[in-house]
Amino acid sequence: MSYPSNMQVKPEVTPFFDPGTNTITYVVKDPASTACAVVDSVMDIDYFAGRITYDNADKVVEFIRENGLQLEWLIETHVHADHLSAAPYIQRELGGKIGIGDQITVVQETFGKVFNEGTEFQRDGSQFDALFTDGDTYEVGSMTCVAMHTPGHTPACMVHVMGDAAFVGDTLFMPDAGSARADFPGGDAGQLYDSIQKVLTLPDETRLFMCHDYGGQNGQRDIAWETTVGEERAENIHAGGGKSREEFVRFRTERDATLAVPRLIIPSLQVNMRAGDVPEDPDGNPMLKVPVNKL
């Protein structure tokens, strides 16, 4: 399948970096109107205190209001395991539709079992306003956007191409950081390699925006989140420079075996598979579960 991109359309991209989770949220403005999208928002949690706040989301809301923008979409590139989505909070403040890849149903089925969710937890993706399939298009103002299915890190991962910009989630990191892990349930290193190569078929000048950055392999540089397809193809230390699928799978598998579980994986999965809503107990109180020896 080919993925149309209009390199003449250059959206205005404003990043919001959260140092607590090393996540970058983006406000993406249609250059021809006041319409915008928010990609990968962050809700704050003090996990040890069981306290949720919205400082990061409020910065995004304030920016959109101050600039007179109209929010049309809240995009989740995947079900994040390292931060909680603030999409419902921002939607209540500003409107817009929440969208994710249609393979969210696979993620919901997998982790519905891990967290022993009852039959009241719907596993059909109905918590989201839109479920994208590979190649689906949608509009932000006059800008046509394309959803590209990129499984490997998770089954529901998608890259969203908006004009000359693409928002890659965890499919790719900056060239000197490589790629995301592929050892979560439903992950697959071979699929991840194929997905990366799919992204790298976009025009060389396509701007790529990362969901996370940690300052390089050893934190030796400043935080960065923007690169290009051409730079990734030539320089990505895991999947660029002509590295083969077999080399990538071997490296990714060996490396993943050494990685710790993300600090916020337990609250993140429960919230994010619900489109950002916190689960509740039978009395309607927000409540999170801690499964033992399940992850």
Side-chain angles (χ1 to χ4, degrees):
M1 176 181 291
S2 61
Y3 299 90
S5 59
N6 187 344
M7 299 297 289
Q8 304 308 308
V9 175
K10 301 183 183 299
E12 299 173 24
V13 180
T14 303
F16 295 81
F17 178 70
D18 171 36
T21 62
N22 287 78
T23 304
I24 304 95
T25 298
Y26 299 98
V27 175
V28 188
K29 178 188 173 296
D30 171 27
S33 73
T34 59
C36 71
V38 169
V39 180
D40 290 335
S41 61
V42 175
M43 178 168 64
D44 305 291
I45 183 169
D46 181 341
Y47 190 35
F48 301 107
R51 185 174 296 112
I52 283 174
T53 54
Y54 299 97
D55 293 348
N56 274 286
D58 283 336
K59 293 175 185 175
V60 173
V61 170
E62 181 181 12
F63 174 85
I64 290 173
R65 284 178 172 157
E66 285 184 347
N67 287 276
L69 304 182
Q70 178 65 44
L71 180 60
E72 295 190 349
W73 283 96
L74 293 128
I75 298 297
E76 300 291 339
T77 55
H78 62 295
V79 174
H80 310 275
D82 44 22
H83 74 270
L84 285 65
S85 169
Y89 174 79
I90 297 175
Q91 185 182 54
R92 287 193 295 271
E93 295 291 316
L94 298 172
K97 292 191 248 183
I98 303 173
I100 198 168
D102 70 335
Q103 294 304 296
I104 178 62
T105 56
V106 177
V107 177
Q108 289 175 327
E109 182 64 30
T110 298
F111 289 105
K113 294 175 181 175
V114 169
F115 290 102
N116 195 26
E117 302 290 354
T119 55
E120 68 277 6
F121 173 61
Q122 298 299 309
R123 295 159 169 83
D124 59 0
S126 57
Q127 300 87 345
F128 298 82
D129 298 310
L131 302 180
F132 300 113
T133 61
D134 192 35
D136 276 354
T137 61
Y138 59 98
E139 307 296 319
V140 175
S142 63
M143 178 171 60
T144 299
C145 308
V146 184
M148 177 187 295
H149 188 211
T150 53
H153 175 58
T154 79
C157 285
M158 287 198 131
V159 168
H160 288 261
V161 183
M162 304 181 183
D164 75 335
F167 300 84
V168 299
D170 286 3
T171 299
L172 276 169
F173 289 163
M174 293 295 288
D176 63 350
S179 61
R181 64 197 300 165
D183 62 332
F184 293 149
D188 183 278
Q191 281 189 336
L192 181 56
Y193 179 86
D194 295 340
S195 293
I196 291 171
Q197 300 311 309
K198 183 190 293 189
V199 175
L200 298 183
T201 64
L202 293 169
D204 280 0
E205 299 79 19
T206 304
R207 294 181 289 160
L208 299 183
F209 293 91
M210 312 294 113
C211 183
H212 298 286
D213 189 65
Y214 303 90
Q217 288 290 298
N218 300 302
Q220 75 275 18
R221 61 160 170 77
D222 292 339
I223 298 295
W225 47 74
E226 180 179 350
T227 182
T228 66
V229 165
E231 289 170 350
E232 289 281 20
R233 186 186 299 115
E235 301 173 13
N236 186 281
I237 61 172
H238 295 171
K243 289 186 177 60
S244 71
R245 192 177 195 269
E246 293 162 339
E247 288 176 299
F248 178 85
V249 169
R250 182 170 57 252
F251 166 81
R252 190 71 267 169
T253 302
E254 292 174 354
R255 179 171 175 77
D256 288 351
T258 71
L259 299 177
V261 173
R263 178 175 60 91
L264 293 178
I265 189 171
I266 288 175
S268 294
L269 292 174
Q270 292 176 79
V271 168
N272 294 339
M273 68 182 183
R274 290 175 165 85
D277 283 324
V278 180
E280 297 178 344
D281 68 12
D283 295 324
N285 301 306
M287 191 69 63
L288 295 165
K289 298 177 181 177
V290 179
V292 177
N293 296 334
K294 288 290 188 72
L295 291 172

